[in-house]
Amino acid sequence: MESWKKNLWVLWFGSFIVASSFSMVIPFLPLFLIELGVTKNTEMWSGLLFSAAFFAGALSSPFWGAVGDKYGRKPMIIRAGLVLFVIYVLMAFVTNEYQVLVLRLLQGLLSGFIPGAIAIVGTNTPEHKVGYALSMMSTATATGSILGPLIGGTLASLFSNRMAFGLAGGLCFIATVLVILWVKEEKFVPSKERVSVINTFRIAGHNKTLMIVLMLTLLTQFSVMTIEPVLPLYVADISGSSKHTSMIAGFVFSIVGIASILFAARWGKLADKIGFHRVLLIGLLAGGIGSLAQMLFSNIWAFSAIRFVYGIFFCAVFPALNGLVVRHTPSDFRGRAFSLNQTATQIGGMAGPLAGGAISGFLDIHSVFLITGILMLITTGLTYWSLRGTDTHAENSGRSAAG
């Protein structure tokens, strides 16, 4: 087996495990708060806990990206995996919401397993296979997002959320061991520049396309994350079930992941042919329409069906954004480029839940769906006008690599 394929499958499996551990516990934070005895301002606390890790990650990602470009991305993945193992295990023993907040902040400051894995895959994969490889990495997180909520919701229903946190920690440890044993970073070219966050921003500032992609990543993540902290509460409201709320919420979260597994690789192959820009436009447009459609249904099964259709198209978005990062950055800057992309993701992920929690608190949950859809359609328009012409570069790169 070619080395890039071996790395892809090992990192696919490791990312799948980490994504599973994340989705086993994080989507259920609102319900975990209730288990801890938080009965007042639950929506606001939920938004704060979702945002805490994103805020910390936004601050630390550029530093870890610069370190990765200088010393290797594999060590950064190992560090992040061990951090997740410790934090999830500690989360199983918290006694109040303030302890959860501290651990979420540490998680954001020190983690970064999946972004590091994507950076290695994007750098070590042949140019004409980048779209496919990045889409496969997307299916790893999607598959994890399916099994994670199902396992986490079941454990929470049968035992408690603490059991789910403990298992999540163990899974992260297994993923880290896999990377240690079988991932080889063969095409790594150490950056000759000193580790400097300021220098990272300076270089990125001269790359117009990269800066546009970072802006689009931020807006997309913000749009998506406005709904995340209140979705379990919405599911509990429309399902009419209190005994199996966690299990039903897990099913609804998994629907989008199922669609991603079935269709993400297809979008990746299409991106290698027609360009990441066009695929990104399709995903964002359909995602915006799908978000608006979700507010029309109060039946749990109809709502789940709309979530599935939404997932079919939206699974194209983040692999396309990652593909644009690869296409428009040199290999010795790619770790920092993906770290900046991660920072944009973290900022959007930080602001989104806060906005979603506030909107649902002051208005209602349906308003969150409305605003999410509108924001995604606005992002579609910005994508069309700001990235025109990038497909030509992608197509030429694909032809030269294939020829």
Side-chain angles (χ1 to χ4, degrees):
M1 181 183 291
E2 296 177 72
S3 60
W4 72 269
K5 289 184 179 179
K6 181 179 178 181
N7 278 348
L8 173 60
W9 287 112
V10 173
L11 290 171
W12 185 97
F13 193 62
S15 297
F16 157 70
I17 292 176
V18 170
S20 297
S21 65
F22 177 90
S23 58
M24 278 174 56
V25 291
I26 301 305
F28 304 106
L29 279 177
L31 304 177
F32 187 47
L33 286 172
I34 296 174
E35 188 177 314
L36 290 174
V38 181
T39 56
K40 295 182 179 179
N41 301 317
T42 306
E43 291 91 347
M44 296 300 293
W45 262 107
S46 174
L48 180 61
L49 292 179
F50 266 84
S51 300
F54 290 114
F55 171 73
L59 297 177
S60 63
S61 288
F63 171 76
W64 292 123
V67 174
D69 277 343
K70 192 169 185 65
Y71 299 106
R73 289 109 194 194
K74 179 178 175 178
M76 296 300 100
I77 297 175
I78 295 171
R79 171 196 55 75
L82 294 175
V83 165
L84 288 173
F85 161 63
V86 173
I87 286 177
Y88 283 143
V89 170
L90 290 177
M91 198 82 79
F93 297 96
V94 298
T95 57
N96 58 62
E97 62 271 30
Y98 299 100
Q99 294 172 352
V100 178
L101 178 61
V102 171
L103 289 175
R104 287 285 289 159
L105 286 169
L106 290 175
Q107 181 178 347
L109 284 173
L110 302 173
S111 63
F113 187 102
I114 292 176
I118 292 173
I120 289 182
V121 169
T123 301
N124 287 269
T125 301
E127 283 290 320
H128 63 292
K129 294 289 186 180
V130 167
Y132 167 76
L134 292 177
S135 294
M136 288 303 297
M137 292 299 291
S138 178
T139 65
T141 57
T143 307
S145 73
I146 291 175
L147 293 182
L150 292 175
I151 296 172
T154 301
L155 287 175
S157 296
L158 297 178
F159 302 100
S160 70
N161 282 290
R162 297 182 187 276
M163 177 72 73
F165 278 114
L167 180 58
L171 289 174
C172 288
F173 183 77
I174 292 173
T176 306
V177 172
L178 292 176
V179 172
I180 293 172
L181 294 178
W182 286 301
V183 169
K184 293 183 179 179
E185 195 173 0
E186 295 179 343
K187 293 186 179 180
F188 174 65
V189 179
S191 172
K192 297 180 180 179
E193 301 171 7
R194 65 186 180 88
V195 176
S196 170
V197 175
I198 295 177
N199 193 46
T200 296
F201 281 103
R202 181 184 62 80
I203 296 173
H206 289 90
N207 188 331
K208 179 182 177 181
T209 303
L210 176 61
M211 296 303 294
I212 292 172
V213 172
L214 297 180
M215 176 192 68
L216 295 175
T217 299
L218 189 156
L219 290 174
T220 302
Q221 182 71 356
F222 176 84
S223 301
V224 173
M225 290 303 295
T226 53
I227 201 64
E228 289 293 314
V230 297
L231 187 57
L233 302 177
Y234 182 70
V235 170
D237 182 50
I238 66 175
S239 66
S241 172
S242 58
K243 183 179 180 181
H244 300 293
T245 297
S246 293
M247 192 176 298
I248 295 172
F251 170 77
V252 173
F253 269 99
S254 299
I255 284 292
V256 175
I258 293 173
S260 187
I261 288 175
L262 295 175
F263 292 93
R266 300 173 187 268
W267 288 114
K269 291 179 180 179
L270 183 62
D272 284 330
K273 294 179 180 179
I274 70 172
F276 292 107
H277 181 212
R278 293 187 179 100
V279 169
L280 179 60
L281 280 172
I282 295 170
L284 285 173
L285 178 61
I289 296 172
S291 295
L292 293 174
Q294 290 176 57
M295 65 183 291
L296 302 177
F297 296 90
S298 57
N299 176 276
I300 187 64
W301 301 113
F303 179 76
S304 298
I306 292 297
R307 291 279 295 171
F308 179 78
V309 175
Y310 162 86
I312 289 175
F313 290 91
F314 192 75
C315 68
V317 171
F318 285 106
L321 288 167
N322 289 332
L324 288 170
V325 172
V326 172
R327 287 280 192 254
H328 296 281
T329 57
S331 60
D332 64 346
F333 187 74
R334 201 152 293 156
R336 283 168 286 178
F338 274 109
S339 74
L340 291 174
N341 198 49
Q342 178 70 1
T343 293
T345 301
Q346 304 282 28
I347 293 174
M350 171 191 67
L354 289 176
I359 293 168
S360 63
F362 288 107
L363 299 174
D364 56 39
I365 293 179
H366 288 89
S367 301
V368 181
F369 286 107
L370 176 63
I371 292 173
T372 297
I374 292 174
L375 286 173
M376 207 166 292
L377 293 177
I378 292 173
T379 305
T380 305
L382 291 174
T383 299
Y384 176 77
W385 290 108
S386 62
L387 288 179
R388 286 178 297 174
T390 57
D391 285 327
T392 301
H393 174 83
E395 290 167 1
N396 291 337
S397 298
R399 290 194 190 100
S400 62

mmCIF file of all heavy atoms in Angstrom, residues 65-93:
data_model
loop_
_atom_site.group_PDB
_atom_site.id
_atom_site.type_symbol
_atom_site.label_atom_id
_atom_site.label_comp_id
_atom_site.label_asym_id
_atom_site.label_seq_id
_atom_site.Cartn_x
_atom_site.Cartn_y
_atom_site.Cartn_z
ATOM 1 N N GLY A 65 0.047 25.574 15.366
ATOM 2 C CA GLY A 65 0.316 25.424 13.942
ATOM 3 C C GLY A 65 1.749 25.768 13.600
ATOM 4 O O GLY A 65 2.401 25.076 12.801
ATOM 5 N N ALA A 66 2.273 26.843 14.192
ATOM 6 C CA ALA A 66 3.659 27.228 13.953
ATOM 7 C C ALA A 66 4.623 26.183 14.504
ATOM 8 O O ALA A 66 5.634 25.850 13.870
ATOM 9 C CB ALA A 66 3.930 28.590 14.599
ATOM 10 N N VAL A 67 4.308 25.648 15.682
ATOM 11 C CA VAL A 67 5.141 24.587 16.263
ATOM 12 C C VAL A 67 5.114 23.355 15.368
ATOM 13 O O VAL A 67 6.144 22.700 15.136
ATOM 14 C CB VAL A 67 4.657 24.233 17.688
ATOM 15 C CG1 VAL A 67 5.416 23.033 18.225
ATOM 16 C CG2 VAL A 67 4.841 25.427 18.622
ATOM 17 N N GLY A 68 3.940 23.019 14.837
ATOM 18 C CA GLY A 68 3.815 21.860 13.964
ATOM 19 C C GLY A 68 4.607 22.007 12.679
ATOM 20 O O GLY A 68 5.216 21.042 12.202
ATOM 21 N N ASP A 69 4.611 23.212 12.089
ATOM 22 C CA ASP A 69 5.380 23.434 10.868
ATOM 23 C C ASP A 69 6.884 23.324 11.112
ATOM 24 O O ASP A 69 7.647 22.995 10.208
ATOM 25 C CB ASP A 69 5.055 24.817 10.286
ATOM 26 C CG ASP A 69 3.794 24.805 9.435
ATOM 27 O OD1 ASP A 69 3.363 23.712 9.032
ATOM 28 O OD2 ASP A 69 3.247 25.887 9.184
ATOM 29 N N LYS A 70 7.308 23.604 12.320
ATOM 30 C CA LYS A 70 8.737 23.578 12.629
ATOM 31 C C LYS A 70 9.205 22.197 13.101
ATOM 32 O O LYS A 70 10.300 21.744 12.736
ATOM 33 C CB LYS A 70 9.070 24.621 13.696
ATOM 34 C CG LYS A 70 10.569 24.875 13.865
ATOM 35 C CD LYS A 70 10.826 26.076 14.727
ATOM 36 C CE LYS A 70 12.315 26.407 14.797
ATOM 37 N NZ LYS A 70 12.854 26.814 13.470
ATOM 38 N N TYR A 71 8.390 21.509 13.889
ATOM 39 C CA TYR A 71 8.832 20.255 14.503
ATOM 40 C C TYR A 71 8.047 19.024 14.035
ATOM 41 O O TYR A 71 8.393 17.907 14.410
ATOM 42 C CB TYR A 71 8.738 20.362 16.030
ATOM 43 C CG TYR A 71 9.608 21.459 16.598
ATOM 44 C CD1 TYR A 71 9.029 22.639 17.068
ATOM 45 C CD2 TYR A 71 10.988 21.332 16.645
ATOM 46 C CE1 TYR A 71 9.816 23.660 17.587
ATOM 47 C CE2 TYR A 71 11.789 22.353 17.161
ATOM 48 C CZ TYR A 71 11.193 23.515 17.627
ATOM 49 O OH TYR A 71 11.980 24.524 18.135
ATOM 50 N N GLY A 72 6.991 19.228 13.250
ATOM 51 C CA GLY A 72 6.222 18.101 12.750
ATOM 52 C C GLY A 72 4.791 18.110 13.251
ATOM 53 O O GLY A 72 4.525 18.498 14.398
ATOM 54 N N ARG A 73 3.862 17.674 12.390
ATOM 55 C CA ARG A 73 2.447 17.657 12.785
ATOM 56 C C ARG A 73 2.096 16.412 13.583
ATOM 57 O O ARG A 73 1.163 16.438 14.377
ATOM 58 C CB ARG A 73 1.567 17.740 11.539
ATOM 59 C CG ARG A 73 1.601 19.117 10.862
ATOM 60 C CD ARG A 73 2.322 19.085 9.566
ATOM 61 N NE ARG A 73 2.642 20.423 9.058
ATOM 62 C CZ ARG A 73 3.036 20.628 7.813
ATOM 63 N NH1 ARG A 73 3.127 19.621 6.958
ATOM 64 N NH2 ARG A 73 3.345 21.840 7.418
ATOM 65 N N LYS A 74 2.837 15.324 13.368
ATOM 66 C CA LYS A 74 2.556 14.107 14.126
ATOM 67 C C LYS A 74 2.702 14.319 15.632
ATOM 68 O O LYS A 74 1.826 13.899 16.403
ATOM 69 C CB LYS A 74 3.450 12.964 13.647
ATOM 70 C CG LYS A 74 3.227 11.667 14.411
ATOM 71 C CD LYS A 74 4.103 10.539 13.881
ATOM 72 C CE LYS A 74 3.948 9.273 14.731
ATOM 73 N NZ LYS A 74 4.764 8.146 14.201
ATOM 74 N N PRO A 75 3.794 14.961 16.113
ATOM 75 C CA PRO A 75 3.880 15.213 17.558
ATOM 76 C C PRO A 75 2.716 16.041 18.095
ATOM 77 O O PRO A 75 2.288 15.858 19.239
ATOM 78 C CB PRO A 75 5.211 15.967 17.702
ATOM 79 C CG PRO A 75 6.017 15.545 16.520
ATOM 80 C CD PRO A 75 5.027 15.372 15.417
ATOM 81 N N MET A 76 2.194 16.954 17.271
ATOM 82 C CA MET A 76 1.083 17.780 17.705
ATOM 83 C C MET A 76 -0.196 16.941 17.854
ATOM 84 O O MET A 76 -1.000 17.169 18.763
ATOM 85 C CB MET A 76 0.828 18.915 16.704
ATOM 86 C CG MET A 76 1.969 19.917 16.583
ATOM 87 S SD MET A 76 2.361 20.757 18.140
ATOM 88 C CE MET A 76 3.802 19.805 18.682
ATOM 89 N N ILE A 77 -0.378 15.967 16.961
ATOM 90 C CA ILE A 77 -1.539 15.089 17.060
ATOM 91 C C ILE A 77 -1.454 14.239 18.325
ATOM 92 O O ILE A 77 -2.440 14.059 19.042
ATOM 93 C CB ILE A 77 -1.633 14.183 15.818
ATOM 94 C CG1 ILE A 77 -1.833 15.031 14.564
ATOM 95 C CG2 ILE A 77 -2.793 13.198 15.954
ATOM 96 C CD1 ILE A 77 -1.828 14.228 13.277
ATOM 97 N N ILE A 78 -0.262 13.723 18.605
ATOM 98 C CA ILE A 78 -0.068 12.891 19.802
ATOM 99 C C ILE A 78 -0.348 13.705 21.063
ATOM 100 O O ILE A 78 -1.032 13.243 21.986
ATOM 101 C CB ILE A 78 1.361 12.319 19.826
ATOM 102 C CG1 ILE A 78 1.547 11.358 18.648
ATOM 103 C CG2 ILE A 78 1.647 11.617 21.141
ATOM 104 C CD1 ILE A 78 2.978 10.912 18.441
ATOM 105 N N ARG A 79 0.177 14.927 21.111
ATOM 106 C CA ARG A 79 -0.064 15.797 22.262
ATOM 107 C C ARG A 79 -1.551 16.037 22.463
ATOM 108 O O ARG A 79 -2.069 15.910 23.580
ATOM 109 C CB ARG A 79 0.659 17.130 22.045
ATOM 110 C CG ARG A 79 0.304 18.198 23.071
ATOM 111 C CD ARG A 79 0.719 19.578 22.607
ATOM 112 N NE ARG A 79 0.174 19.935 21.319
ATOM 113 C CZ ARG A 79 -1.094 20.290 21.118
ATOM 114 N NH1 ARG A 79 -1.946 20.339 22.134
ATOM 115 N NH2 ARG A 79 -1.523 20.597 19.912
ATOM 116 N N ALA A 80 -2.245 16.341 21.361
ATOM 117 C CA ALA A 80 -3.674 16.633 21.455
ATOM 118 C C ALA A 80 -4.463 15.412 21.913
ATOM 119 O O ALA A 80 -5.390 15.528 22.721
ATOM 120 C CB ALA A 80 -4.198 17.114 20.099
ATOM 121 N N GLY A 81 -4.101 14.231 21.429
ATOM 122 C CA GLY A 81 -4.810 13.013 21.817
ATOM 123 C C GLY A 81 -4.677 12.716 23.295
ATOM 124 O O GLY A 81 -5.653 12.332 23.962
ATOM 125 N N LEU A 82 -3.480 12.889 23.831
ATOM 126 C CA LEU A 82 -3.263 12.643 25.261
ATOM 127 C C LEU A 82 -4.022 13.660 26.117
ATOM 128 O O LEU A 82 -4.563 13.311 27.175
ATOM 129 C CB LEU A 82 -1.768 12.685 25.579
ATOM 130 C CG LEU A 82 -0.935 11.557 24.956
ATOM 131 C CD1 LEU A 82 0.562 11.772 25.246
ATOM 132 C CD2 LEU A 82 -1.391 10.198 25.486
ATOM 133 N N VAL A 83 -4.071 14.911 25.647
ATOM 134 C CA VAL A 83 -4.822 15.942 26.372
ATOM 135 C C VAL A 83 -6.308 15.586 26.435
ATOM 136 O O VAL A 83 -6.947 15.685 27.492
ATOM 137 C CB VAL A 83 -4.624 17.317 25.703
ATOM 138 C CG1 VAL A 83 -5.663 18.318 26.210
ATOM 139 C CG2 VAL A 83 -3.221 17.843 25.982
ATOM 140 N N LEU A 84 -6.863 15.157 25.316
ATOM 141 C CA LEU A 84 -8.281 14.784 25.296
ATOM 142 C C LEU A 84 -8.560 13.616 26.235
ATOM 143 O O LEU A 84 -9.594 13.595 26.915
ATOM 144 C CB LEU A 84 -8.700 14.426 23.869
ATOM 145 C CG LEU A 84 -8.820 15.590 22.886
ATOM 146 C CD1 LEU A 84 -9.084 15.074 21.476
ATOM 147 C CD2 LEU A 84 -9.919 16.555 23.309
ATOM 148 N N PHE A 85 -7.656 12.657 26.259
ATOM 149 C CA PHE A 85 -7.808 11.517 27.156
ATOM 150 C C PHE A 85 -7.934 11.976 28.608
ATOM 151 O O PHE A 85 -8.859 11.580 29.338
ATOM 152 C CB PHE A 85 -6.606 10.582 26.982
ATOM 153 C CG PHE A 85 -6.397 9.624 28.127
ATOM 154 C CD1 PHE A 85 -7.351 8.661 28.433
ATOM 155 C CD2 PHE A 85 -5.247 9.686 28.898
ATOM 156 C CE1 PHE A 85 -7.155 7.772 29.492
ATOM 157 C CE2 PHE A 85 -5.039 8.815 29.948
ATOM 158 C CZ PHE A 85 -5.997 7.852 30.248
ATOM 159 N N VAL A 86 -7.034 12.846 29.036
ATOM 160 C CA VAL A 86 -7.033 13.318 30.424
ATOM 161 C C VAL A 86 -8.286 14.147 30.723
ATOM 162 O O VAL A 86 -8.940 13.965 31.764
ATOM 163 C CB VAL A 86 -5.764 14.133 30.716
ATOM 164 C CG1 VAL A 86 -5.838 14.775 32.098
ATOM 165 C CG2 VAL A 86 -4.522 13.254 30.610
ATOM 166 N N ILE A 87 -8.637 15.044 29.825
ATOM 167 C CA ILE A 87 -9.759 15.956 30.077
ATOM 168 C C ILE A 87 -11.087 15.205 30.157
ATOM 169 O O ILE A 87 -11.907 15.455 31.046
ATOM 170 C CB ILE A 87 -9.809 17.044 28.996
ATOM 171 C CG1 ILE A 87 -8.677 18.043 29.224
ATOM 172 C CG2 ILE A 87 -11.167 17.766 29.001
ATOM 173 C CD1 ILE A 87 -8.576 19.127 28.187
ATOM 174 N N TYR A 88 -11.319 14.273 29.239
ATOM 175 C CA TYR A 88 -12.585 13.534 29.269
ATOM 176 C C TYR A 88 -12.709 12.682 30.538
ATOM 177 O O TYR A 88 -13.793 12.566 31.114
ATOM 178 C CB TYR A 88 -12.712 12.644 28.039
ATOM 179 C CG TYR A 88 -13.087 13.396 26.783
ATOM 180 C CD1 TYR A 88 -12.544 13.037 25.547
ATOM 181 C CD2 TYR A 88 -13.990 14.454 26.815
ATOM 182 C CE1 TYR A 88 -12.898 13.727 24.387
ATOM 183 C CE2 TYR A 88 -14.336 15.135 25.681
ATOM 184 C CZ TYR A 88 -13.786 14.771 24.460
ATOM 185 O OH TYR A 88 -14.135 15.442 23.322
ATOM 186 N N VAL A 89 -11.594 12.087 30.959
ATOM 187 C CA VAL A 89 -11.633 11.292 32.187
ATOM 188 C C VAL A 89 -11.956 12.186 33.379
ATOM 189 O O VAL A 89 -12.777 11.839 34.245
ATOM 190 C CB VAL A 89 -10.304 10.551 32.398
ATOM 191 C CG1 VAL A 89 -10.249 9.927 33.787
ATOM 192 C CG2 VAL A 89 -10.121 9.467 31.337
ATOM 193 N N LEU A 90 -11.333 13.361 33.447
ATOM 194 C CA LEU A 90 -11.616 14.286 34.539
ATOM 195 C C LEU A 90 -13.066 14.775 34.498
ATOM 196 O O LEU A 90 -13.686 15.001 35.542
ATOM 197 C CB LEU A 90 -10.663 15.484 34.471
ATOM 198 C CG LEU A 90 -9.191 15.208 34.799
ATOM 199 C CD1 LEU A 90 -8.361 16.471 34.616
ATOM 200 C CD2 LEU A 90 -9.047 14.685 36.227
ATOM 201 N N MET A 91 -13.602 14.925 33.274
ATOM 202 C CA MET A 91 -14.977 15.394 33.144
ATOM 203 C C MET A 91 -15.973 14.427 33.797
ATOM 204 O O MET A 91 -17.057 14.823 34.229
ATOM 205 C CB MET A 91 -15.322 15.569 31.666
ATOM 206 C CG MET A 91 -16.531 16.423 31.393
ATOM 207 S SD MET A 91 -16.210 18.206 31.426
ATOM 208 C CE MET A 91 -15.463 18.431 29.821
ATOM 209 N N ALA A 92 -15.600 13.164 33.880
ATOM 210 C CA ALA A 92 -16.491 12.164 34.483
ATOM 211 C C ALA A 92 -16.642 12.363 35.988
ATOM 212 O O ALA A 92 -17.536 11.776 36.606
ATOM 213 C CB ALA A 92 -15.975 10.761 34.195
ATOM 214 N N PHE A 93 -15.774 13.206 36.584
ATOM 215 C CA PHE A 93 -15.787 13.374 38.036
ATOM 216 C C PHE A 93 -16.166 14.785 38.482
ATOM 217 O O PHE A 93 -16.064 15.101 39.669
ATOM 218 C CB PHE A 93 -14.409 13.015 38.612
ATOM 219 C CG PHE A 93 -14.021 11.582 38.389
ATOM 220 C CD1 PHE A 93 -13.218 11.231 37.310
ATOM 221 C CD2 PHE A 93 -14.472 10.576 39.228
ATOM 222 C CE1 PHE A 93 -12.854 9.903 37.088
ATOM 223 C CE2 PHE A 93 -14.124 9.254 39.016
ATOM 224 C CZ PHE A 93 -13.318 8.912 37.936
#
